[in-house]
Amino acid sequence: MRSSPSHGKQPTSSPRTYFELMVKAGAARPRLGIIVNPLAGIGGPAALKGSDGAATVAEARARGARPEAPLRAERTLQALAARVGPAELLAAPGAMGADLARRVGFSVKATSRSAPSETSALDTRVAATAMRDADVGLLLFAGGDGTARDIHDAIGDQLPLLGIPAGVKMHSGVFAHSPEAAARAAEAALRNGPSLPLRGADIADVDEQAARDGRVASILYGSVRVPDLPRLVLPTKAGSPAQPGAELQALCREIADTLEPSCLYLFGPGSTTAMVLAALGARGTLLGVDAVLDGQVVGKDLTESQTLALLDTHLDSRLVVGLVGGQGMLFGRGNRQLTAAVLSRVGADRITVLSAADKLLALTPPTLWVDTGDPVLDKHLSGYIRVRVGPRQQIIMTVSS
Amino acid sequence: MSLPKLRQYHAAVWDEPIVMEMGRAGRRGMVFPTSDAEVSAADGTLDTVIPASARRQHPPKLPELSEFEVQRHYLHLAQETLGMMGISLFGTCTMKYNPRVSELVAARPWLAELHPNQSEETLQGVLEIVHGMNQILCELSGMAQFVFQPGGGADAAYTHACITRAYHEHRGELAQRNEIITTIQAHPCNAATAAAAGFNVVTLPLEEAGYPSVAALEAALSDRTAALMVNNPDDMGIYNPNIKRWVELVHQAGGLAFYDHANFNGVMSRLRARELGFDACMFMLHKTFGAPKGGGGPAVGAYGCSEDLVAFLPRPLVRQVGGRYTIEHEAPLSVGRVREFWGNIPQVVKAYAWTRAMGSDGLRQAADISVLANNYMERRLLAIPGVSKSFPELSSPRLEMTRYSLAKVAEDTGVTVLDIQNRMVDFGVDAFWLSHEPWIVPEPFTPEAGELWSKEDIDYWIDVLATVIDEAYNDPDTVRSAPHCQAIHKVDGAGADDPQRWATTWRAYQYKHSIQVTS
């Protein structure tokens, strides 16, 4: 953590502590609130497409999944503390934020004294209501679409919102592209106070009926306000078009026709990779990871451990993935089964990315994002990547963490 | 903002049928006398002169009109022309006046009646002009030789793709070098012609500076690189200042570098492609060099290259040998022909006349005026509420054009850039250019003043745009339902996407609309 100005290490013209920031912003109300859904994202590596509801959480735990949201929230809070010093936070109680924020060094006020041992959606709603009553300047939360919907259900658009990406599904346009980006956005909120520019963003979630029909689509649940920081906060996931373009169709067919023999192909989730599987005569798992060897599907809807087991027995492997439209997420959203362990095992140079050209060109900024949970791997994957957009056509894209 | 009063305008409307439906049976424009008996006796009648197999069974279904009626009909059609008659700041096309004197020169019988298969001895005059234009372009670009065969800019880009293929094949590297790199803001013909010539296309998107970074280019380069094909400035008017480094890197990777000079107007005589390291470039004579264009008519994409690539150029080539001009018909490594003969020679002659009249000082002045005019226009346009420019945070001046966006107007009012375009023509100015594909700027428009349009014309055009944007906020229905003062009102474009309805000939129209065709 950085020295505070009282130690004379920082220029006094640049406020570094939360209290100085509050004075600068001229506000008496708490500037920042935090809610951590400790169970968010637990279903990802277990290929459960979400973590909503007690039954899903129990199933994820039975499959050996560990909670990841607290780790991701901690990354944000660590990065924020390094930037602004020991600030004061209003936090949900216990494992929902207060414990973590205290450990990182923040001065924490909890929304409630009693901390539930097993959290539920109700606890998120109660905490959000308390944040609303305290009129915090920005409500940070760690979770996914389910958590975002719970907060929206409780308080609508009454507080500016920012998500630390920690869910399995993140179709909503409220999430920073990484935990560290969330810290930078929170810092901007602290520094700017009420003058922080805000924009409207969607609260959305996967359309499960459409997924059963073989389409990836979102349902819109409402609208909130988020910090207007396009390089930090990702927009809503764009739906896949009703009819994929001819170039993308031709590309998927070409890939299906040119698979290398004896190579294990992993296909990530989404409608683009599903087209390759369709060209092979197979029906892929729209929201899951499938494996193909010599034209035959050898694994469907694989969990992280199932994928690693396949990679143990097949040394020659490749990964084919699409990306999340509108957001440009390559790894970390909607494909949490492709964990850092899986990606490291396949190797960065063995990853093929497919996308329609207009899906890439619609990205603002024109960047693909990786958020695998492993900062070292994220850095390794960063740089430039060739995205295949049609037969014999590629676009070079920046990849950033 | 107070808006100036605009001039009244209304296009002519002639609600008359198309010529195929006009006339009366038996009416004629010209009646020829029958031949004298002596002539028929000596040469035979039509029945004996034209063999039966070549004779029509039925007379052609042509409209039957007097000469005067034909003349009047086409005069009316000319009056209903929807563009190229008002103030036309049609960006990326560099609209220029085509001087009458150039037309008269090209129409002189000593040129108009030539045939390229005449003996060289009888073609010395025109060969001298072709050679002279070659020398002018070599001087402007630093290249060693130009060829005028390509029939337009895209054809010249295709010529480059063919030469790239021949060059690497000659070096035994074609199988390995199968990638051509371009940028998302290069004219789409670069990617298209590279693909048509069999190359894989690697495209670089724009980054924060408004052009792709050197690092992105480095990520694209490899031992598979065959060539770079790029514009600079692009058609947003943004100049990539790293271009010399780009060319160096492409050369280090073993590729060729092609400069698509479609946007040459702002940099004429201010830079030379060869001095930036490029191996080849292309000029559009029908655009930058004052020769006419439009409607897919005759055009010339003059393609020039360094000494190393001359062997691969299409033939025939006009050469100067001693004091004479000669035609080199074949060369062992040549890519062959991309078009007939030596190109659209009347266009080359008109461009030659224009360029000689301008002189080197005139070209430089024209380039500077076109950049000045654009920057003047930019200052005024950005003062109009709702107008923003692409990459607004870039402070360096744009060159001869700037791409703007009406996204805010569309967001505030629901009136789109197409509606605004349709409404502007109600004031007697021509429709503006929007953007090449892909539309990475929302609701785009791209005016280009060039050196032709006066300050009064530019000001009037901007006044029209300001007035229409004001209407979008205060009277959006008038804009959305435009045009109102044109020869034709809002057109339903759906038919253009429906193969069952479109027709490019009268016969196709009759067929698709179930009209009985008898011949």
Side-chain angles (χ1 to χ4, degrees), chain A residues 18 21-33 87-90 134-140 160 186 188-196:
Chain A
Y18 174 68
L21 289 165
M22 275 184 57
V23 170
K24 188 172 179 245
R29 59 181 181 147
R31 293 252 62 88
L32 205 57
E88 183 177 289
L89 287 183
L90 183 63
D135 194 23
V136 298
L138 178 72
L139 172 51
L140 264 181
L190 285 178
R191 292 197 185 288
N192 289 290
S195 63
L196 179 76

PDB file of all heavy atoms in Angstrom, chain A residues 18 21-33 87-90 134-140 160 186 188-196:
ATOM      1  N   TYR A  18      -8.992   8.391   1.152  1.00  0.00           N
ATOM      2  CA  TYR A  18     -10.431   8.464   0.950  1.00  0.00           C
ATOM      3  C   TYR A  18     -11.011   9.731   1.554  1.00  0.00           C
ATOM      4  O   TYR A  18     -11.870  10.393   0.974  1.00  0.00           O
ATOM      5  CB  TYR A  18     -11.051   7.220   1.586  1.00  0.00           C
ATOM      6  CG  TYR A  18     -12.546   7.235   1.570  1.00  0.00           C
ATOM      7  CD1 TYR A  18     -13.242   7.125   0.376  1.00  0.00           C
ATOM      8  CD2 TYR A  18     -13.250   7.383   2.744  1.00  0.00           C
ATOM      9  CE1 TYR A  18     -14.608   7.139   0.356  1.00  0.00           C
ATOM     10  CE2 TYR A  18     -14.625   7.401   2.737  1.00  0.00           C
ATOM     11  CZ  TYR A  18     -15.304   7.284   1.547  1.00  0.00           C
ATOM     12  OH  TYR A  18     -16.653   7.305   1.519  1.00  0.00           O
ATOM     13  N   LEU A  21     -10.299  12.646  -0.466  1.00  0.00           N
ATOM     14  CA  LEU A  21     -11.151  12.599  -1.661  1.00  0.00           C
ATOM     15  C   LEU A  21     -12.553  13.070  -1.339  1.00  0.00           C
ATOM     16  O   LEU A  21     -13.185  13.783  -2.111  1.00  0.00           O
ATOM     17  CB  LEU A  21     -11.198  11.172  -2.214  1.00  0.00           C
ATOM     18  CG  LEU A  21      -9.911  10.697  -2.872  1.00  0.00           C
ATOM     19  CD1 LEU A  21      -9.948   9.200  -3.050  1.00  0.00           C
ATOM     20  CD2 LEU A  21      -9.750  11.394  -4.219  1.00  0.00           C
ATOM     21  N   MET A  22     -13.047  12.639  -0.191  1.00  0.00           N
ATOM     22  CA  MET A  22     -14.400  13.036   0.198  1.00  0.00           C
ATOM     23  C   MET A  22     -14.482  14.548   0.365  1.00  0.00           C
ATOM     24  O   MET A  22     -15.418  15.189  -0.081  1.00  0.00           O
ATOM     25  CB  MET A  22     -14.784  12.351   1.515  1.00  0.00           C
ATOM     26  CG  MET A  22     -15.331  10.964   1.286  1.00  0.00           C
ATOM     27  SD  MET A  22     -15.871  10.211   2.808  1.00  0.00           S
ATOM     28  CE  MET A  22     -17.053  11.367   3.407  1.00  0.00           C
ATOM     29  N   VAL A  23     -13.420  15.105   0.986  1.00  0.00           N
ATOM     30  CA  VAL A  23     -13.413  16.548   1.185  1.00  0.00           C
ATOM     31  C   VAL A  23     -13.393  17.246  -0.165  1.00  0.00           C
ATOM     32  O   VAL A  23     -14.135  18.181  -0.429  1.00  0.00           O
ATOM     33  CB  VAL A  23     -12.185  16.952   2.038  1.00  0.00           C
ATOM     34  CG1 VAL A  23     -12.030  18.465   2.045  1.00  0.00           C
ATOM     35  CG2 VAL A  23     -12.341  16.417   3.446  1.00  0.00           C
ATOM     36  N   LYS A  24     -12.526  16.708  -1.055  1.00  0.00           N
ATOM     37  CA  LYS A  24     -12.419  17.319  -2.382  1.00  0.00           C
ATOM     38  C   LYS A  24     -13.764  17.268  -3.107  1.00  0.00           C
ATOM     39  O   LYS A  24     -14.181  18.206  -3.781  1.00  0.00           O
ATOM     40  CB  LYS A  24     -11.354  16.588  -3.196  1.00  0.00           C
ATOM     41  CG  LYS A  24     -11.045  17.271  -4.520  1.00  0.00           C
ATOM     42  CD  LYS A  24      -9.863  16.631  -5.184  1.00  0.00           C
ATOM     43  CE  LYS A  24      -9.588  17.323  -6.512  1.00  0.00           C
ATOM     44  NZ  LYS A  24      -9.772  16.472  -7.648  1.00  0.00           N
ATOM     45  N   ALA A  25     -14.426  16.137  -2.991  1.00  0.00           N
ATOM     46  CA  ALA A  25     -15.701  15.990  -3.689  1.00  0.00           C
ATOM     47  C   ALA A  25     -16.805  16.766  -2.980  1.00  0.00           C
ATOM     48  O   ALA A  25     -17.903  16.916  -3.505  1.00  0.00           O
ATOM     49  CB  ALA A  25     -16.071  14.513  -3.763  1.00  0.00           C
ATOM     50  N   GLY A  26     -16.522  17.249  -1.779  1.00  0.00           N
ATOM     51  CA  GLY A  26     -17.495  18.058  -1.054  1.00  0.00           C
ATOM     52  C   GLY A  26     -18.708  17.271  -0.612  1.00  0.00           C
ATOM     53  O   GLY A  26     -19.806  17.797  -0.501  1.00  0.00           O
ATOM     54  N   ALA A  27     -18.527  15.993  -0.375  1.00  0.00           N
ATOM     55  CA  ALA A  27     -19.683  15.166  -0.053  1.00  0.00           C
ATOM     56  C   ALA A  27     -19.541  14.561   1.333  1.00  0.00           C
ATOM     57  O   ALA A  27     -18.445  14.219   1.756  1.00  0.00           O
ATOM     58  CB  ALA A  27     -19.806  14.049  -1.075  1.00  0.00           C
ATOM     59  N   ALA A  28     -20.627  14.417   2.012  1.00  0.00           N
ATOM     60  CA  ALA A  28     -20.597  13.808   3.335  1.00  0.00           C
ATOM     61  C   ALA A  28     -21.029  12.354   3.263  1.00  0.00           C
ATOM     62  O   ALA A  28     -20.713  11.559   4.141  1.00  0.00           O
ATOM     63  CB  ALA A  28     -21.503  14.561   4.280  1.00  0.00           C
ATOM     64  N   ARG A  29     -21.745  11.998   2.241  1.00  0.00           N
ATOM     65  CA  ARG A  29     -22.255  10.626   2.166  1.00  0.00           C
ATOM     66  C   ARG A  29     -21.119   9.666   1.803  1.00  0.00           C
ATOM     67  O   ARG A  29     -20.132  10.076   1.189  1.00  0.00           O
ATOM     68  CB  ARG A  29     -23.368  10.543   1.132  1.00  0.00           C
ATOM     69  CG  ARG A  29     -22.920  10.965  -0.239  1.00  0.00           C
ATOM     70  CD  ARG A  29     -24.058  10.894  -1.230  1.00  0.00           C
ATOM     71  NE  ARG A  29     -23.571  11.281  -2.545  1.00  0.00           N
ATOM     72  CZ  ARG A  29     -24.017  10.790  -3.672  1.00  0.00           C
ATOM     73  NH1 ARG A  29     -24.952   9.888  -3.673  1.00  0.00           N
ATOM     74  NH2 ARG A  29     -23.548  11.184  -4.821  1.00  0.00           N
ATOM     75  N   PRO A  30     -21.243   8.379   2.144  1.00  0.00           N
ATOM     76  CA  PRO A  30     -20.199   7.420   1.780  1.00  0.00           C
ATOM     77  C   PRO A  30     -20.084   7.325   0.262  1.00  0.00           C
ATOM     78  O   PRO A  30     -21.088   7.300  -0.451  1.00  0.00           O
ATOM     79  CB  PRO A  30     -20.674   6.106   2.395  1.00  0.00           C
ATOM     80  CG  PRO A  30     -22.099   6.299   2.757  1.00  0.00           C
ATOM     81  CD  PRO A  30     -22.365   7.766   2.860  1.00  0.00           C
ATOM     82  N   ARG A  31     -18.869   7.313  -0.234  1.00  0.00           N
ATOM     83  CA  ARG A  31     -18.679   7.344  -1.680  1.00  0.00           C
ATOM     84  C   ARG A  31     -18.791   5.959  -2.314  1.00  0.00           C
ATOM     85  O   ARG A  31     -19.100   5.842  -3.482  1.00  0.00           O
ATOM     86  CB  ARG A  31     -17.297   7.923  -2.011  1.00  0.00           C
ATOM     87  CG  ARG A  31     -17.139   9.380  -1.659  1.00  0.00           C
ATOM     88  CD  ARG A  31     -17.099  10.239  -2.920  1.00  0.00           C
ATOM     89  NE  ARG A  31     -18.317  10.153  -3.694  1.00  0.00           N
ATOM     90  CZ  ARG A  31     -19.365  10.930  -3.512  1.00  0.00           C
ATOM     91  NH1 ARG A  31     -19.357  11.852  -2.585  1.00  0.00           N
ATOM     92  NH2 ARG A  31     -20.439  10.808  -4.256  1.00  0.00           N
ATOM     93  N   LEU A  32     -18.488   4.930  -1.531  1.00  0.00           N
ATOM     94  CA  LEU A  32     -18.380   3.618  -2.152  1.00  0.00           C
ATOM     95  C   LEU A  32     -19.013   2.549  -1.273  1.00  0.00           C
ATOM     96  O   LEU A  32     -18.772   2.506  -0.063  1.00  0.00           O
ATOM     97  CB  LEU A  32     -16.880   3.311  -2.325  1.00  0.00           C
ATOM     98  CG  LEU A  32     -16.471   2.346  -3.421  1.00  0.00           C
ATOM     99  CD1 LEU A  32     -16.962   2.821  -4.768  1.00  0.00           C
ATOM    100  CD2 LEU A  32     -14.952   2.219  -3.438  1.00  0.00           C
ATOM    101  N   GLY A  33     -19.834   1.711  -1.902  1.00  0.00           N
ATOM    102  CA  GLY A  33     -20.366   0.555  -1.196  1.00  0.00           C
ATOM    103  C   GLY A  33     -19.949  -0.707  -1.925  1.00  0.00           C
ATOM    104  O   GLY A  33     -19.699  -0.675  -3.134  1.00  0.00           O
ATOM    105  N   ALA A  87      -9.243   3.790   2.409  1.00  0.00           N
ATOM    106  CA  ALA A  87     -10.499   4.524   2.333  1.00  0.00           C
ATOM    107  C   ALA A  87     -11.564   3.887   3.219  1.00  0.00           C
ATOM    108  O   ALA A  87     -11.373   2.815   3.779  1.00  0.00           O
ATOM    109  CB  ALA A  87     -10.975   4.542   0.883  1.00  0.00           C
ATOM    110  N   GLU A  88     -12.671   4.583   3.350  1.00  0.00           N
ATOM    111  CA  GLU A  88     -13.801   4.041   4.107  1.00  0.00           C
ATOM    112  C   GLU A  88     -14.808   3.435   3.135  1.00  0.00           C
ATOM    113  O   GLU A  88     -15.103   4.026   2.090  1.00  0.00           O
ATOM    114  CB  GLU A  88     -14.483   5.141   4.913  1.00  0.00           C
ATOM    115  CG  GLU A  88     -15.613   4.612   5.778  1.00  0.00           C
ATOM    116  CD  GLU A  88     -16.227   5.716   6.617  1.00  0.00           C
ATOM    117  OE1 GLU A  88     -15.579   6.195   7.560  1.00  0.00           O
ATOM    118  OE2 GLU A  88     -17.373   6.098   6.317  1.00  0.00           O
ATOM    119  N   LEU A  89     -15.276   2.257   3.467  1.00  0.00           N
ATOM    120  CA  LEU A  89     -16.240   1.572   2.609  1.00  0.00           C
ATOM    121  C   LEU A  89     -17.472   1.211   3.408  1.00  0.00           C
ATOM    122  O   LEU A  89     -17.374   0.858   4.587  1.00  0.00           O
ATOM    123  CB  LEU A  89     -15.656   0.251   2.090  1.00  0.00           C
ATOM    124  CG  LEU A  89     -14.588   0.268   1.019  1.00  0.00           C
ATOM    125  CD1 LEU A  89     -14.247  -1.167   0.629  1.00  0.00           C
ATOM    126  CD2 LEU A  89     -15.114   1.012  -0.187  1.00  0.00           C
ATOM    127  N   LEU A  90     -18.615   1.260   2.732  1.00  0.00           N
ATOM    128  CA  LEU A  90     -19.822   0.661   3.294  1.00  0.00           C
ATOM    129  C   LEU A  90     -19.925  -0.717   2.663  1.00  0.00           C
ATOM    130  O   LEU A  90     -19.944  -0.835   1.432  1.00  0.00           O
ATOM    131  CB  LEU A  90     -21.048   1.508   2.947  1.00  0.00           C
ATOM    132  CG  LEU A  90     -22.378   1.038   3.522  1.00  0.00           C
ATOM    133  CD1 LEU A  90     -22.341   1.076   5.058  1.00  0.00           C
ATOM    134  CD2 LEU A  90     -23.529   1.912   3.010  1.00  0.00           C
ATOM    135  N   ALA A 134     -28.243   4.548   2.359  1.00  0.00           N
ATOM    136  CA  ALA A 134     -27.066   5.337   2.734  1.00  0.00           C
ATOM    137  C   ALA A 134     -26.635   6.252   1.590  1.00  0.00           C
ATOM    138  O   ALA A 134     -25.732   7.076   1.760  1.00  0.00           O
ATOM    139  CB  ALA A 134     -25.918   4.410   3.107  1.00  0.00           C
ATOM    140  N   ASP A 135     -27.274   6.088   0.416  1.00  0.00           N
ATOM    141  CA  ASP A 135     -26.997   6.929  -0.761  1.00  0.00           C
ATOM    142  C   ASP A 135     -25.513   6.933  -1.131  1.00  0.00           C
ATOM    143  O   ASP A 135     -24.884   7.986  -1.255  1.00  0.00           O
ATOM    144  CB  ASP A 135     -27.487   8.364  -0.509  1.00  0.00           C
ATOM    145  CG  ASP A 135     -27.536   9.165  -1.814  1.00  0.00           C
ATOM    146  OD1 ASP A 135     -27.633   8.534  -2.888  1.00  0.00           O
ATOM    147  OD2 ASP A 135     -27.465  10.401  -1.754  1.00  0.00           O
ATOM    148  N   VAL A 136     -24.938   5.723  -1.279  1.00  0.00           N
ATOM    149  CA  VAL A 136     -23.521   5.657  -1.664  1.00  0.00           C
ATOM    150  C   VAL A 136     -23.324   6.224  -3.076  1.00  0.00           C
ATOM    151  O   VAL A 136     -24.251   6.186  -3.890  1.00  0.00           O
ATOM    152  CB  VAL A 136     -22.954   4.217  -1.602  1.00  0.00           C
ATOM    153  CG1 VAL A 136     -23.010   3.678  -0.185  1.00  0.00           C
ATOM    154  CG2 VAL A 136     -23.680   3.304  -2.575  1.00  0.00           C
ATOM    155  N   GLY A 137     -22.129   6.748  -3.334  1.00  0.00           N
ATOM    156  CA  GLY A 137     -21.859   7.359  -4.639  1.00  0.00           C
ATOM    157  C   GLY A 137     -21.759   6.323  -5.748  1.00  0.00           C
ATOM    158  O   GLY A 137     -22.116   6.580  -6.890  1.00  0.00           O
ATOM    159  N   LEU A 138     -21.242   5.140  -5.409  1.00  0.00           N
ATOM    160  CA  LEU A 138     -21.128   4.053  -6.393  1.00  0.00           C
ATOM    161  C   LEU A 138     -21.249   2.734  -5.646  1.00  0.00           C
ATOM    162  O   LEU A 138     -20.609   2.541  -4.612  1.00  0.00           O
ATOM    163  CB  LEU A 138     -19.764   4.127  -7.098  1.00  0.00           C
ATOM    164  CG  LEU A 138     -19.497   3.013  -8.133  1.00  0.00           C
ATOM    165  CD1 LEU A 138     -20.346   3.219  -9.378  1.00  0.00           C
ATOM    166  CD2 LEU A 138     -18.019   2.976  -8.528  1.00  0.00           C
ATOM    167  N   LEU A 139     -22.076   1.858  -6.184  1.00  0.00           N
ATOM    168  CA  LEU A 139     -22.225   0.527  -5.584  1.00  0.00           C
ATOM    169  C   LEU A 139     -21.424  -0.476  -6.410  1.00  0.00           C
ATOM    170  O   LEU A 139     -21.765  -0.770  -7.560  1.00  0.00           O
ATOM    171  CB  LEU A 139     -23.709   0.130  -5.535  1.00  0.00           C
ATOM    172  CG  LEU A 139     -24.007  -1.318  -5.104  1.00  0.00           C
ATOM    173  CD1 LEU A 139     -23.293  -1.688  -3.806  1.00  0.00           C
ATOM    174  CD2 LEU A 139     -25.503  -1.522  -4.939  1.00  0.00           C
ATOM    175  N   LEU A 140     -20.340  -0.972  -5.804  1.00  0.00           N
ATOM    176  CA  LEU A 140     -19.535  -2.019  -6.432  1.00  0.00           C
ATOM    177  C   LEU A 140     -20.112  -3.355  -6.014  1.00  0.00           C
ATOM    178  O   LEU A 140     -20.437  -3.539  -4.832  1.00  0.00           O
ATOM    179  CB  LEU A 140     -18.113  -1.968  -5.881  1.00  0.00           C
ATOM    180  CG  LEU A 140     -16.986  -1.234  -6.583  1.00  0.00           C
ATOM    181  CD1 LEU A 140     -15.714  -1.427  -5.757  1.00  0.00           C
ATOM    182  CD2 LEU A 140     -16.776  -1.760  -7.977  1.00  0.00           C
ATOM    183  N   PRO A 160     -25.657   4.519  -8.929  1.00  0.00           N
ATOM    184  CA  PRO A 160     -24.727   4.090  -9.982  1.00  0.00           C
ATOM    185  C   PRO A 160     -24.091   2.752  -9.586  1.00  0.00           C
ATOM    186  O   PRO A 160     -23.745   2.546  -8.421  1.00  0.00           O
ATOM    187  CB  PRO A 160     -23.673   5.203 -10.012  1.00  0.00           C
ATOM    188  CG  PRO A 160     -24.327   6.374  -9.361  1.00  0.00           C
ATOM    189  CD  PRO A 160     -25.263   5.814  -8.345  1.00  0.00           C
ATOM    190  N   ALA A 186     -13.612   2.453  -9.979  1.00  0.00           N
ATOM    191  CA  ALA A 186     -14.010   2.885  -8.638  1.00  0.00           C
ATOM    192  C   ALA A 186     -13.178   4.092  -8.212  1.00  0.00           C
ATOM    193  O   ALA A 186     -13.691   5.030  -7.595  1.00  0.00           O
ATOM    194  CB  ALA A 186     -13.828   1.731  -7.652  1.00  0.00           C
ATOM    195  N   ALA A 188     -11.951   6.318 -10.225  1.00  0.00           N
ATOM    196  CA  ALA A 188     -12.494   7.468 -10.960  1.00  0.00           C
ATOM    197  C   ALA A 188     -13.751   7.979 -10.278  1.00  0.00           C
ATOM    198  O   ALA A 188     -13.990   9.189 -10.194  1.00  0.00           O
ATOM    199  CB  ALA A 188     -12.786   7.077 -12.406  1.00  0.00           C
ATOM    200  N   ALA A 189     -14.558   7.051  -9.753  1.00  0.00           N
ATOM    201  CA  ALA A 189     -15.778   7.450  -9.060  1.00  0.00           C
ATOM    202  C   ALA A 189     -15.431   8.230  -7.794  1.00  0.00           C
ATOM    203  O   ALA A 189     -16.057   9.251  -7.486  1.00  0.00           O
ATOM    204  CB  ALA A 189     -16.610   6.214  -8.712  1.00  0.00           C
ATOM    205  N   LEU A 190     -14.413   7.765  -7.077  1.00  0.00           N
ATOM    206  CA  LEU A 190     -14.007   8.459  -5.855  1.00  0.00           C
ATOM    207  C   LEU A 190     -13.473   9.850  -6.169  1.00  0.00           C
ATOM    208  O   LEU A 190     -13.788  10.827  -5.499  1.00  0.00           O
ATOM    209  CB  LEU A 190     -12.916   7.654  -5.139  1.00  0.00           C
ATOM    210  CG  LEU A 190     -13.366   6.401  -4.391  1.00  0.00           C
ATOM    211  CD1 LEU A 190     -12.167   5.692  -3.794  1.00  0.00           C
ATOM    212  CD2 LEU A 190     -14.361   6.770  -3.300  1.00  0.00           C
ATOM    213  N   ARG A 191     -12.642   9.922  -7.208  1.00  0.00           N
ATOM    214  CA  ARG A 191     -11.993  11.195  -7.508  1.00  0.00           C
ATOM    215  C   ARG A 191     -12.977  12.225  -8.055  1.00  0.00           C
ATOM    216  O   ARG A 191     -12.826  13.414  -7.797  1.00  0.00           O
ATOM    217  CB  ARG A 191     -10.854  11.000  -8.521  1.00  0.00           C
ATOM    218  CG  ARG A 191      -9.691  10.229  -7.952  1.00  0.00           C
ATOM    219  CD  ARG A 191      -8.436  10.377  -8.780  1.00  0.00           C
ATOM    220  NE  ARG A 191      -7.388   9.519  -8.254  1.00  0.00           N
ATOM    221  CZ  ARG A 191      -6.729   9.742  -7.114  1.00  0.00           C
ATOM    222  NH1 ARG A 191      -7.013  10.812  -6.393  1.00  0.00           N
ATOM    223  NH2 ARG A 191      -5.806   8.911  -6.687  1.00  0.00           N
ATOM    224  N   ASN A 192     -13.934  11.767  -8.820  1.00  0.00           N
ATOM    225  CA  ASN A 192     -14.843  12.707  -9.475  1.00  0.00           C
ATOM    226  C   ASN A 192     -16.082  13.020  -8.647  1.00  0.00           C
ATOM    227  O   ASN A 192     -16.770  13.996  -8.922  1.00  0.00           O
ATOM    228  CB  ASN A 192     -15.276  12.183 -10.844  1.00  0.00           C
ATOM    229  CG  ASN A 192     -14.129  12.225 -11.827  1.00  0.00           C
ATOM    230  OD1 ASN A 192     -13.698  13.280 -12.245  1.00  0.00           O
ATOM    231  ND2 ASN A 192     -13.585  11.059 -12.167  1.00  0.00           N
ATOM    232  N   GLY A 193     -16.379  12.157  -7.665  1.00  0.00           N
ATOM    233  CA  GLY A 193     -17.566  12.398  -6.849  1.00  0.00           C
ATOM    234  C   GLY A 193     -18.807  12.491  -7.717  1.00  0.00           C
ATOM    235  O   GLY A 193     -18.944  11.770  -8.720  1.00  0.00           O
ATOM    236  N   PRO A 194     -19.695  13.406  -7.393  1.00  0.00           N
ATOM    237  CA  PRO A 194     -20.959  13.497  -8.142  1.00  0.00           C
ATOM    238  C   PRO A 194     -20.755  13.921  -9.589  1.00  0.00           C
ATOM    239  O   PRO A 194     -21.672  13.814 -10.394  1.00  0.00           O
ATOM    240  CB  PRO A 194     -21.744  14.571  -7.381  1.00  0.00           C
ATOM    241  CG  PRO A 194     -21.052  14.726  -6.066  1.00  0.00           C
ATOM    242  CD  PRO A 194     -19.623  14.346  -6.274  1.00  0.00           C
ATOM    243  N   SER A 195     -19.534  14.437  -9.945  1.00  0.00           N
ATOM    244  CA  SER A 195     -19.355  14.870 -11.335  1.00  0.00           C
ATOM    245  C   SER A 195     -18.909  13.726 -12.238  1.00  0.00           C
ATOM    246  O   SER A 195     -18.641  13.930 -13.422  1.00  0.00           O
ATOM    247  CB  SER A 195     -18.330  16.009 -11.389  1.00  0.00           C
ATOM    248  OG  SER A 195     -17.067  15.539 -10.944  1.00  0.00           O
ATOM    249  N   LEU A 196     -18.832  12.507 -11.694  1.00  0.00           N
ATOM    250  CA  LEU A 196     -18.467  11.361 -12.535  1.00  0.00           C
ATOM    251  C   LEU A 196     -19.501  11.191 -13.645  1.00  0.00           C
ATOM    252  O   LEU A 196     -20.693  11.081 -13.364  1.00  0.00           O
ATOM    253  CB  LEU A 196     -18.437  10.076 -11.691  1.00  0.00           C
ATOM    254  CG  LEU A 196     -18.096   8.813 -12.477  1.00  0.00           C
ATOM    255  CD1 LEU A 196     -16.611   8.751 -12.774  1.00  0.00           C
ATOM    256  CD2 LEU A 196     -18.533   7.568 -11.708  1.00  0.00           C
TER     257      LEU A 196
END
